[in-house]
Amino acid sequence: MTTRILPAIGDPEAARSVTTLLSRLPDAEPCAPVADSTQLVDTLARLAGESLDELPEVVLVHERIGPVPALELVREVALRFPAVGVVLMTSDASPGLFSAAMESGARGLAVLPLSVEELAHRVQTAAQWSAGVRRHLGTGGEELPGPAGTVVTVTGAKGGVGTTVTAVQLALAARASGRTVALADMDVQTGDVASYLDVQFRRSIADLAAVSDISPRVLSDAVFSHPTGLALLLAPGDGERGEEVTDRAARQIVRALRSRYEVVVIDCGSQMHGANAVAVEMADTALLVTTPDVVAVRGAKRVVRLWDRLQIRKAEETITVVNRHTRGTEIQPPLIQKITGTRVAGTAIPANFKELQGAVDSGRMHELDAKSTVKQALWGLAGELGLVKLPDGGGRSGRFRGDRSDRGSIGGRRRRGDSREWEGAR
């Protein structure tokens, strides 16, 4: 994920040198340097006034900044802008200065002259701290009024494992039970939600990327109202526009959707980038879809490790969904759980593409036959995840009250076979 870094350096030559080094750091976005303490505080105050997300993750303070002394400036920034990680750049590496800097609120000390390796380490440490603070601070009054919706992301271990089908059917199940539901396509370059639901559209998620304040009206203008009742926020038709959806834009979009809809299902595709990484990080539930074959399971393990390295989500906080499951396959859900370190959903999706082929080819996944075992399993998964409203007086499973033309079974916490059956199949 991109780290924004704001250098505060009075010496123009030193500023150019530091900016050059910052440009060599991976995933770094150097801001234009500020020349003195007053300009730094004014800049941070202006950005904070717009939004917490507009603040840089890291501020670099040079030891010869003025007119306010460096340690006093570090203290002021740390007190006024706690979501910013401050790193003091100094030629004095003594324990006394280190202690004084930490007491002032600095998150690190970078010794001059700087090396790329040390600067990268200090920036990364400060950025991680900043990200943690922002998660705890939340958004306060920035969120739009409305329900605090549940966000579920659906990510594929690799391409072709059924990520979009899973996302679409989960959203349809939640909507059919009476909830307000948004289905967002954050596979921003190759998303196919529109193709699966037979949608012709003009606006996409890219149209929200440049909006600094997503009001309910702006959001409603960007979403497509599907006949099923789903609100669709679709990937751009031109894949190159996907680059417009930055991690900051994605964070704001997810917040806006969460505040407007009871359930938000996000199709993240199988390729990770800043936007869908933010979605996975913010999600209440992160699903990882895999098929029970060696290549896909290795892909699932690779994704889990990537999320852990980037501190997006821990393995134990991820739910793996096994698609195209058969009792005869050698790789069974308990083994996948052991390999990936994730929790495997109790509902496994059976292998029966013949049921899906007509709906997929016609682009009308919402008209999939209610008798389909694949649909029943996916709607059962929606019940297991708590995305549906169960009928009044209902038990652990039952039929939903929705469109008469599409009656599917929604399970509460239904399991398609317990662990002993899986072990026996192995």
Side-chain angles (χ1 to χ4, degrees):
M1 297 175 65
T2 303
T3 301
R4 292 160 295 168
I5 309 162
L6 176 59
I9 308 171
D11 182 1
E13 185 175 343
R16 283 193 296 271
S17 176
V18 170
T19 302
T20 300
L21 287 176
L22 291 175
S23 66
R24 296 168 60 186
L25 301 184
D27 301 321
E29 182 183 324
C31 304
V34 294
D36 57 51
S37 58
T38 302
Q39 189 178 355
L40 172 62
V41 173
D42 288 347
T43 299
L44 293 177
R46 176 177 55 80
L47 294 173
E50 296 176 8
S51 166
L52 174 66
D53 287 336
E54 294 301 315
L55 285 169
E57 284 75 21
V58 180
V59 167
L60 301 178
V61 176
H62 195 275
E63 62 179 355
R64 292 197 298 271
I65 195 71
V68 176
L71 287 178
E72 291 184 23
L73 180 59
V74 168
R75 182 178 292 107
E76 182 176 2
V77 171
L79 288 174
R80 291 186 57 182
F81 312 101
V84 174
V86 186
V87 176
L88 177 63
M89 297 180 292
T90 177
S91 55
D92 182 2
S94 66
L97 181 63
F98 180 83
S99 177
M102 296 302 104
E103 290 175 0
S104 297
R107 307 312 309 174
L109 210 67
V111 180
L112 298 171
L114 296 173
S115 66
V116 174
E117 293 76 13
E118 181 181 9
L119 185 59
H121 175 68
R122 302 303 177 197
V123 165
Q124 181 182 22
T125 301
Q128 290 172 353
W129 181 87
S130 173
V133 171
R134 294 179 193 214
R135 282 195 296 268
H136 286 293
L137 287 177
T139 58
E142 293 176 17
E143 292 193 7
L144 303 177
T150 298
V151 176
V152 178
T153 56
V154 186
T155 306
K158 68 179 191 67
V161 296
T163 307
T164 301
V165 170
T166 300
V168 168
Q169 290 298 330
L170 290 179
L172 288 170
R175 177 61 192 142
S177 74
R179 292 186 181 272
T180 57
V181 182
L183 174 58
D185 195 343
M186 280 201 180
D187 185 3
V188 291
Q189 291 188 331
T190 58
D192 282 322
V193 168
S195 298
Y196 276 77
L197 292 174
D198 191 26
V199 170
Q200 300 293 324
F201 64 99
R202 292 185 302 107
R203 298 190 181 277
S204 72
I205 192 171
D207 294 307
L208 292 177
V211 180
S212 58
D213 182 18
I214 302 178
S215 66
R217 180 168 183 174
V218 169
L219 183 62
S220 64
D221 286 344
V223 300
F224 179 91
S225 296
H226 194 264
T228 58
L230 292 180
L232 305 179
L233 185 57
L234 301 167
D238 300 324
E240 63 272 17
R241 290 201 65 197
E243 297 180 359
E244 300 173 22
V245 187
T246 64
D247 51 349
R248 277 180 286 174
R251 191 175 299 276
Q252 185 175 226
I253 290 167
V254 172
R255 285 176 180 160
L257 291 170
R258 188 200 293 271
S259 69
R260 184 79 184 272
Y261 300 95
E262 293 177 277
V263 175
V264 180
V265 180
I266 302 176
D267 181 355
C268 291
S270 58
Q271 296 294 323
M272 294 305 298
H273 46 76
N276 57 19
V278 163
V280 173
E281 181 185 14
M282 297 179 68
D284 299 289
T285 302
L287 302 181
L288 180 59
V289 182
T290 186
T291 48
D293 58 84
V294 172
V295 175
V297 174
R298 283 178 176 170
K301 185 176 181 180
R302 184 167 56 245
V303 171
V304 169
R305 286 180 171 179
L306 173 65
W307 288 355
D308 185 64
R309 288 196 306 273
L310 297 180
Q311 297 187 333
I312 295 171
R313 185 167 289 262
K314 296 179 180 178
E316 57 268 25
E317 298 173 347
T318 302
I319 299 176
T320 297
V321 177
V322 181
N323 189 24
R324 301 174 196 153
H325 172 260
T326 63
R327 293 186 180 276
T329 187
E330 184 175 350
I331 301 177
Q332 291 292 317
L335 179 59
I336 295 174
Q337 178 167 299
K338 182 178 180 181
I339 291 172
T340 61
T342 63
R343 179 167 70 86
V344 171
T347 305
I349 315 305
N352 199 337
F353 184 73
K354 287 184 179 180
E355 295 179 350
L356 298 175
Q357 189 166 6
V360 170
D361 290 345
S362 65
R364 302 185 68 80
M365 184 57 62
H366 51 292
E367 296 181 356
L368 183 62
D369 191 341
K371 296 180 180 179
S372 162
T373 58
V374 174
K375 178 174 180 175
Q376 289 178 4
L378 285 168
W379 287 39
L381 175 63
E384 179 183 337
L385 298 174
L387 302 183
V388 301
K389 290 180 180 178
L390 293 180
D392 295 337
R396 293 173 61 86
S397 63
R399 291 187 179 274
F400 72 93
R401 296 177 299 173
D403 188 343
R404 293 183 180 180
S405 65
D406 192 8
R407 296 181 179 269
S409 178
I410 298 178
R413 303 289 292 180
R414 189 177 65 180
R415 301 180 67 89
R416 298 183 67 82
D418 59 22
S419 59
R420 287 172 296 180
E421 292 174 322
W422 282 331
E423 286 294 334
R426 290 174 62 193

